[in-house]
Amino acid sequence: MTLSLSSVAKTYGDGTRALNPTDLEINPGEIISLLGPSGCGKTTLLRLIAGLEVPDNGANIRFGDEDVTRLPVEKRNVGMVFQSYALFPNMSVRDNIGYGLKMQRLPRAEIQSRVDEVIALCRLEPYANRAITALSGGQRQRVALARAFAPRPRLMLLDEPLSALDAALRLELRDELAALLRQFGTTVIFVTHDQDEALAIADRVAVMEGGKIRQIGTPEELYRNPQSAFVAEFVGHAMPLSGEIRQQTLCLEGGELPLPDHAGGGSVYVRAEDLRADPTGPLQAKVETVTFLGTHYRLGLTGLTGQRMFALHHGASSPAIGDNLRLSIAPDALICLPHS
Amino acid sequence: MMRLPKLLSMLVTLLACAFLLVPTLQSVLAGITANYFRGISSGLTLKWVIEVWTLYADSIFLSIWLAITCLAVTLILGVPAAYALARNPGRLSRVLEEFISLPLAIPGLALALALLQLYGSQQGFRAHWSFILVGHVLYTLPFMVRAVQAVLAAIDLKTLEEGAASLGAGPARRFVDIVVPNALPGILAGSLTVVTLSIGEFNLTWMLHTPLLKTLPVGLADSYASMRLEIASAYTLVFFVMIVPLLMAMQWASARAQRILS
């Protein structure tokens, strides 16, 4: 089922525009992430797709050929996973998972077998008859996924599914979630503010800011080819190389850098991992901080541009604080944005 | 030395209990004493209890009936009201909440007077048990609403309902499957309060009752005023026998519900 949105916008009663008119098309079986800082409209967009919010006039939401714009959530047949999971405390794990099937008025035997199937898929067998209150955070997340998936929804919608977990567990469950979502095979839209999560799980990522989708593309496209300063900075923490451009040369405080041909004269960005220590490099900076991070060092540098820059340094030892470091940037590592 | 404060506090507690319990026990004892003025030595008898039963059985049944119907009405009105207030927090809800709670602040006598002024001339209604029921409902409804609302405020009802809706449950299903079961501790606590208040209510009922419609407490006052002390005491005993098991049963039920949900 293809999901198509056209001119979907949301203005709240107090006049706040949570979402500007948005068009979006999502292909069957695709996993899409809505990525952005808090207040960017990503959760509003998800809730509009779910039917938990009513869009402004003029919007159109289609599930395949069916116009669902005016359909309430209970008639849309979507699977929703809430940030707090919203599991029913008055029901066991089994009854939570079977609730959607019960609402579809399926025969009891059919509900039982489907619940068993989903429980096995989500590896919840040992907890099937437990109370919700007797589960850990990770188990609750799996129950929430199982409950949303059991009624065979047309679409799975996940609102920050990992944010209720602590940091160590989140990383572990991120890969597990990605694998489980692929196994489900349904179209998935999930909201997150964490770029690692979005890049790791999604087929395509829609980066949102200020109630708008700024850019949508595969994780690689977004990372390597951001179209705006916001996307460059939000995805992969690119840093602006602010200086003056003369012909094809970027003049920085710490040296001059030849620009590649495709540079359009707009701003130029670089990521910390592409700023390399190189004794013959054209740039120079002073080491101000050194942070050891196990696999590498993270160096805080001044004197390269007007603001502090970071570089990742791989090696057995790091430069000392106060050292003057020569640096180079590979020409294809420069992110050249068009004029804004 | 550490034990002294503990001992002292225990002593104070026991004294307070004795202060409250001894008169009660004495009264109960008087109800089964052959002649109160001659004391226990006159022998124990169930004569007075039987007499209370023959004189006031109607009052007992009327009180139980009123308590049950009052509970039914407060459940039907109070639970949806508490739900509506919990789901729509805002200025209007606060005003409504205060309005529902108003009967708590007004003396029962004034409430009864108001009911009499408004409906007293409608003979059929005035002399019917449902007239007393209206008074009881007015007086007990805020307790039900408050108890349910407190429980609903403690859970994320909106998200739970959205969860149920996303699984295909319409508003009525959500109310039955999600709202009521999760509000159960509050509903039970509210029911406990409503039933005990209704059975024990005197103030309002005394104003509203007719000679043919005496509730348990009104009958008690009547027996104190017009019968031998032994009969009044036996009446107290009957009152206890009725209300104590009821209280214990409902306490047990609400403790159980709390355990299931926490």
Side-chain angles (χ1 to χ4, degrees), chain B residues 75-152:
Chain B
L75 281 174
I76 291 166
L77 294 178
V79 177
Y83 168 67
L85 289 174
R87 272 311 300 267
N88 307 298
R91 270 179 75 109
L92 190 68
S93 293
R94 297 297 296 274
V95 173
L96 264 171
E97 203 185 320
E98 292 307 317
F99 188 72
I100 291 176
S101 303
L102 217 53
L104 291 182
I106 300 171
L109 290 174
L111 214 58
L113 195 65
L115 283 175
L116 281 170
Q117 278 172 342
L118 196 57
Y119 303 114
S121 55
Q122 295 174 353
Q123 274 311 310
F125 184 38
R126 170 72 187 89
H128 194 254
W129 59 267
S130 59
F131 190 56
I132 301 176
L133 176 66
V134 170
H136 280 205
V137 168
L138 266 180
Y139 174 57
T140 55
L141 190 61
F143 292 94
M144 180 63 88
V145 173
R146 285 270 161 108
V148 176
Q149 210 188 345
V151 172
L152 290 181

Side-chain angles (χ1 to χ4, degrees), chain A residues 260-340:
Chain A
D261 294 340
H262 65 266
S267 40
V268 180
Y269 280 74
V270 70
R271 291 205 168 83
E273 66 261 36
D274 296 321
L275 203 51
R276 309 185 171 277
D278 178 353
T280 62
L283 305 172
Q284 184 179 315
K286 191 172 176 179
V287 178
E288 204 186 50
T289 60
V290 176
T291 313
F292 178 56
L293 292 164
T295 56
H296 61 270
Y297 295 90
R298 184 174 149 93
L299 308 177
L301 305 170
T302 53
L304 182 58
T305 66
Q307 62 199 107
R308 180 190 282 190
M309 304 285 281
F310 291 97
L312 305 188
H313 179 77
H314 294 266
S317 63
S318 81
I321 292 173
D323 278 3
N324 279 315
L325 200 62
R326 292 215 73 87
L327 299 152
S328 69
I329 302 171
D332 57 357
L334 288 173
I335 299 165
C336 303
L337 298 176
H339 268 298
S340 48

Side-chain angles (χ1 to χ4, degrees), chain A residues 36 89 95 194 202 313 320:
Chain A
D95 292 344
D194 183 318
H313 179 77

